Amino acid sequence: MKKIILASSIASLLLIGCSSTNSNQTLKDVNWKYSRDLPTPKGYEKQIGVAGPLAGNIGDYIVIAGGANFPHKSVLEGGPKVTYSDLYLMKQTNNGLELIKHTQLPKEIGYGTAISTANGIYYIGGTHQKGVSNEILYLTLNKDKTDIEIKKIGELPFDYHSGVAVLKDNNIYIVTGKQNGQNSKNFYKYDLTTNKISELKMFPGTERSQSIGQILNNGQEDLLYVFGGGTGVAFTDGYAYNFNKNTWEKVKDVKLGTKDISVLGANSVKLNINEMMVIGGFNKEIWDDANLKLGGLKGEELAKYKNSYFTKDPQDFNWNQDMLVYNAKDNTWKSAGKVPFLAPCGEGLVKIDNKIYSINGEIKPGVRSEKIYVGTIEN
């Protein structure tokens, strides 16, 4: 096996031409460093990392909850995936992330969509040990900011996970993902005032899950941008939804130069009104080939392929290491440099002011990282 060396010191990565949310200053660097490990879940002796956690923030407080891994046996050995109910409330301090409270949710959660607001976090759908949720939850801090209070505020008419959900004008917009167990391109608006749901113009691409999306301004108005995702193959296409016209339009595919980049399994944060940053993403060629062979081979051929595939080093999967930046105003993609740690998929990604937190995630099929990294955006 090859040795994997993770950066323990700050790595300065070039980030050119972006503007911060609160100013017109140009961003120059993202300085990444290791912050801490995610604490050990209840009933276990160590933390091996999770994928698909709830990850969001309320001011300087970060909430990380749930997620899933394979704690007993590896995927190759047929180990079961375990989803967790642990919730960690942390606070951003000058000394790093301080654990305020480690508690348990009523049930396990994973792979839903978290939407952070100034006062709380909306969490839509998600998986648990016995199935898939259709609930909309709202998480807030208690009065003395020492614990999280959770309320169920609504239900969808379908169960949902691994899609795109955004908040605009007290409405939650939900598109793609697994809806009632199927890859979908259905698009809905859930009104938080009336608790009523309405169907909108269908997503124009192929049915899919694990897309990424953000509301960005194209220089004229706010649009919902949705990119990538996959089924048995990884997609790299992109589309923008016009809230005023209830229409979709094609936008720039995810690519650097002439190379298409898969953002399947990646996560994103909004840098400013025009730009989003994407971290992670399965390699399209390797993903497509693996799905074809894992679904088509049988007997000894399948066993041989599985052994070869699941015992590879993380670097051999060639997951996207670039910090991708999409600019809606210019309709362009570029690289802002590479993350100095193993490219994660299914990680939690949270932005607070000028800091981005990359939380755990899968670093190869079936294997997670327990580490949390923080990137400081320098103006």
Side-chain angles (χ1 to χ4, degrees), residues 15-23 27 30 214-216 268-278 323-327 334 336 351 353-356 377:
L15 180 55
I16 304 173
C18 304
S19 57
S20 71
T21 303
N22 299 318
S23 72
L27 301 180
V30 177
Q214 296 285 347
I215 295 176
L216 301 172
S268 68
V269 290
K270 187 172 179 175
L271 291 175
N272 53 68
I273 62 171
N274 305 124
E275 293 176 307
M276 62 189 283
M277 176 180 283
V278 181
M323 293 184 293
L324 301 171
V325 176
Y326 176 73
N327 186 306
K334 66 183 177 185
K351 182 177 179 291
D353 298 326
N354 69 330
K355 294 186 184 298
I356 299 173
I377 300 172

Side-chain angles (χ1 to χ4, degrees), residues 151-211:
K151 294 181 181 178
K152 175 182 168 183
I153 61 171
E155 287 186 351
L156 302 174
F158 51 89
D159 58 43
Y160 158 88
H161 69 90
S162 303
V164 172
V166 297
L167 178 70
K168 179 177 170 58
D169 300 330
N170 213 40
N171 296 304
I172 294 176
Y173 293 83
I174 301 164
V175 64
T176 68
K178 294 274 190 175
Q179 298 181 16
N180 282 337
Q182 301 295 320
N183 288 308
S184 179
K185 58 181 183 178
N186 293 333
F187 186 25
Y188 299 95
K189 178 176 74 172
Y190 185 92
D191 190 319
L192 290 167
T193 302
T194 64
N195 291 330
K196 291 183 179 180
I197 193 167
S198 54
E199 194 164 355
L200 301 174
K201 181 74 173 181
M202 189 175 287
F203 179 74
T206 306
E207 295 89 350
R208 64 192 64 194
S209 58
Q210 297 189 66
S211 301

Side-chain angles (χ1 to χ4, degrees), residues 303-316:
K304 184 178 179 180
Y305 178 79
K306 280 185 174 180
N307 186 70
S308 172
Y309 182 74
F310 288 108
T311 57
K312 289 180 180 178
D313 290 322
Q315 308 97 302
D316 295 332

Side-chain angles (χ1 to χ4, degrees), residues 6-284:
L6 294 179
S8 58
S9 60
I10 296 177
S12 179
L13 303 176
L14 186 62
L15 180 55
I16 304 173
C18 304
S19 57
S20 71
T21 303
N22 299 318
S23 72
N24 294 319
Q25 291 179 306
T26 299
L27 301 180
K28 295 181 180 178
D29 297 290
V30 177
N31 297 318
W32 285 99
K33 66 178 181 179
Y34 165 78
S35 177
R36 62 169 297 158
D37 288 356
L38 191 66
T40 302
K42 183 179 179 181
Y44 289 82
E45 294 182 357
K46 65 177 182 178
Q47 174 65 264
I48 62 172
V50 296
L54 179 162
N57 72 292
I58 308 168
D60 288 338
Y61 291 83
I62 290 181
V63 179
I64 306 167
N69 60 28
F70 297 85
H72 305 301
K73 292 182 180 180
S74 70
V75 176
L76 184 60
E77 298 171 308
K81 180 185 282 190
V82 173
T83 307
Y84 294 87
S85 60
D86 294 78
L87 184 148
Y88 310 97
L89 175 62
M90 300 185 184
K91 186 178 182 182
Q92 179 180 257
T93 70
N94 292 332
N95 296 321
L97 285 178
E98 175 188 349
L99 180 64
I100 303 298
K101 183 86 171 184
H102 178 186
T103 187
Q104 303 298 125
L105 295 164
K107 65 181 177 183
E108 312 85 9
I109 58 171
Y111 302 99
T113 305
I115 304 172
S116 298
T117 71
N119 298 315
I121 300 168
Y122 293 96
Y123 188 71
I124 301 95
T127 63
H128 50 87
Q129 279 303 107
K130 295 182 179 180
V132 184
S133 174
N134 70 336
E135 297 177 341
I136 300 175
L137 305 177
Y138 187 57
L139 292 75
T140 55
L141 286 167
N142 65 356
K143 289 183 179 180
D144 58 3
K145 298 184 178 180
T146 58
D147 204 350
I148 288 291
E149 297 177 348
I150 305 170
K151 294 181 181 178
K152 175 182 168 183
I153 61 171
E155 287 186 351
L156 302 174
F158 51 89
D159 58 43
Y160 158 88
H161 69 90
S162 303
V164 172
V166 297
L167 178 70
K168 179 177 170 58
D169 300 330
N170 213 40
N171 296 304
I172 294 176
Y173 293 83
I174 301 164
V175 64
T176 68
K178 294 274 190 175
Q179 298 181 16
N180 282 337
Q182 301 295 320
N183 288 308
S184 179
K185 58 181 183 178
N186 293 333
F187 186 25
Y188 299 95
K189 178 176 74 172
Y190 185 92
D191 190 319
L192 290 167
T193 302
T194 64
N195 291 330
K196 291 183 179 180
I197 193 167
S198 54
E199 194 164 355
L200 301 174
K201 181 74 173 181
M202 189 175 287
F203 179 74
T206 306
E207 295 89 350
R208 64 192 64 194
S209 58
Q210 297 189 66
S211 301
I212 57 170
Q214 296 285 347
I215 295 176
L216 301 172
N217 191 284
N218 66 355
Q220 299 177 339
E221 57 188 331
D222 288 343
L223 304 176
L224 169 58
Y225 290 81
V226 178
F227 296 97
T231 53
V233 297
F235 301 120
T236 61
D237 48 349
Y239 304 90
Y241 174 75
N242 189 304
F243 294 96
N244 296 320
K245 299 177 181 178
N246 189 30
T247 57
W248 290 90
E249 63 183 63
K250 188 75 180 67
V251 295
K252 181 80 169 180
D253 290 350
V254 187
K255 61 172 55 187
L256 295 177
T258 59
K259 181 175 176 57
D260 292 326
I261 306 293
S262 163
V263 291
L264 173 64
N267 208 339
S268 68
V269 290
K270 187 172 179 175
L271 291 175
N272 53 68
I273 62 171
N274 305 124
E275 293 176 307
M276 62 189 283
M277 176 180 283
V278 181
I279 293 178
F282 302 124
N283 177 275
K284 176 173 172 55

Side-chain angles (χ1 to χ4, degrees), residues 351-375:
K351 182 177 179 291
I352 305 176
D353 298 326
N354 69 330
K355 294 186 184 298
I356 299 173
Y357 292 89
S358 177
I359 302 163
N360 288 197
E362 195 171 49
I363 55 174
K364 61 174 274 187
V367 178
R368 278 61 163 145
S369 168
E370 73 280 9
K371 300 181 183 300
I372 300 174
Y373 294 92
V374 56

